[in-house]
Amino acid sequence: MTPAHLILRANARGVRLSLDGSGAVMASGPRSAIDVLLPMLRPHREAIGQFLAESRLTAEALTAAAVVCDLHGDTDEARDDMARDVLNTPENLLPDLIQHLQQVAQSARQGSLKETR
């Protein structure tokens, strides 16, 4: 499994992976989710750290994609497809993709708010 897929899987469980000031990978989110993910993430910690350091925009796009997947209740297969699409996006287009995904998420949230009123 690639670092991007691991990040997306972590995001799907409400866990955000980031680098601390020393470059170590940090996980934040629900403790129970972190405990479940750690055995899967530990063997790949160096690759995840390198990915996060080198691919800030890609990591940000994967996080935005995970939010959209969460809001739509996507399956793991759909999440993997989304990750593949993000990873195949040229770097110069990632800022536009991030903005688009954030707008989709905002629209989905507003739609769900309207439905509950």
Side-chain angles (χ1 to χ4, degrees):
M1 193 168 287
T2 68
H5 286 102
L6 291 166
I7 291 167
L8 192 63
R9 290 280 169 95
N11 289 343
R13 288 159 180 81
V15 175
R16 299 297 176 247
L17 302 177
S18 60
L19 297 177
D20 69 6
S22 69
V25 176
M26 302 298 297
S28 60
R31 186 76 227 167
S32 59
I34 292 171
D35 291 341
V36 168
L37 289 167
L38 279 179
M40 179 183 6
L41 298 174
R42 269 194 188 113
H44 306 284
R45 136 178 87 214
E46 285 183 35
I48 292 169
Q50 184 176 0
F51 179 85
L52 290 171
E54 294 174 356
S55 306
R56 184 190 60 79
L57 282 175
T58 302
E60 190 176 332
L62 286 169
T63 298
V67 170
V68 171
C69 289
D70 290 346
L71 290 168
H72 288 102
D74 286 350
T75 63
D76 283 344
E77 183 180 338
R79 290 172 187 281
D80 288 345
D81 289 344
M82 179 74 91
R84 198 170 14 265
D85 290 346
V86 168
L87 294 172
N88 287 325
T89 301
E91 190 170 344
N92 66 312
L93 297 179
L94 286 174
D96 292 335
L97 177 61
I98 293 164
Q99 182 180 19
H100 170 72
L101 291 168
Q102 290 170 340
Q103 289 171 343
V104 169
Q106 183 178 11
S107 294
R109 285 186 195 109
Q110 289 174 344
S112 65
L113 288 176
K114 290 176 184 174
E115 291 172 14
T116 60
R117 291 185 183 169

